[in-house]
Amino acid sequence: MDCIFCKIVAGEIPSTTVYEDELVYAFRDINPMAPTHILVIPKEHLGSVNDITPYNSAVVAHIFEVIPQIAAAENLTGGYRVVSNCGQDAGQTVHHLHFHILGGKELSLQMA
Ligand code: DGP
């Protein structure tokens, strides 16, 4: 499958690892929108939030257990935002489920 995030998980495209376990990989966004901008992805290919089902949602729960650990390790003591863009109207550009962690500054409250 021609998926850049699958290639990142496989080590075929270099990335800056922030966290890794058997289910999840986290790395720094190539185009940071905040001082800390990390992407957390399942190693298994899921296209977007739309592909989450009762059969695979355990990995999403695990991602949300890992996110606070990453935030603590990154010293995001003032808070942070978790975002997942789903589909064209949201501006999803990489069709492998990912959660952005944004922090390190006071973030704009603009939502749309
Ligand atoms: P989204 O718009 O939610 O699909 O965001 C995709 C993000 O992925 C975007 O912020 C840039 C990032 N990105 C795209 N290609 C690469 C890459 O090759 N390496 C890294 N580290 N990040 C990438």
Side-chain angles (χ1 to χ4, degrees), residues 9-105:
V9 168
E12 294 165 15
I13 294 175
S15 63
T16 305
T17 305
V18 172
Y19 174 91
E20 182 171 17
D21 65 28
E22 66 280 5
L23 296 174
V24 166
Y25 187 63
F27 56 105
R28 297 201 187 276
D29 195 290
I30 205 168
N31 181 26
M33 307 290 275
T36 300
H37 187 168
I38 293 164
L39 300 172
V40 189
I41 69 174
K43 288 186 168 178
E44 169 194 12
H45 183 89
L46 300 174
S48 74
V49 167
N50 279 341
D51 289 344
I52 299 169
T53 71
Y55 301 101
N56 61 31
S57 60
V59 73
V60 180
H62 183 59
I63 284 172
F64 276 84
E65 292 164 1
V66 162
I67 284 172
Q69 296 175 32
I70 293 172
E74 295 284 322
N75 287 311
L76 298 179
T77 52
Y80 57 93
R81 182 171 292 155
V82 180
V83 174
S84 189
N85 295 317
C86 180
Q88 189 176 328
D89 283 358
Q92 183 180 5
T93 58
V94 178
H95 296 278
H96 182 129
L97 178 64
H98 54 281
F99 296 90
H100 299 256
I101 301 175
L102 296 151
K105 70 169 186 180

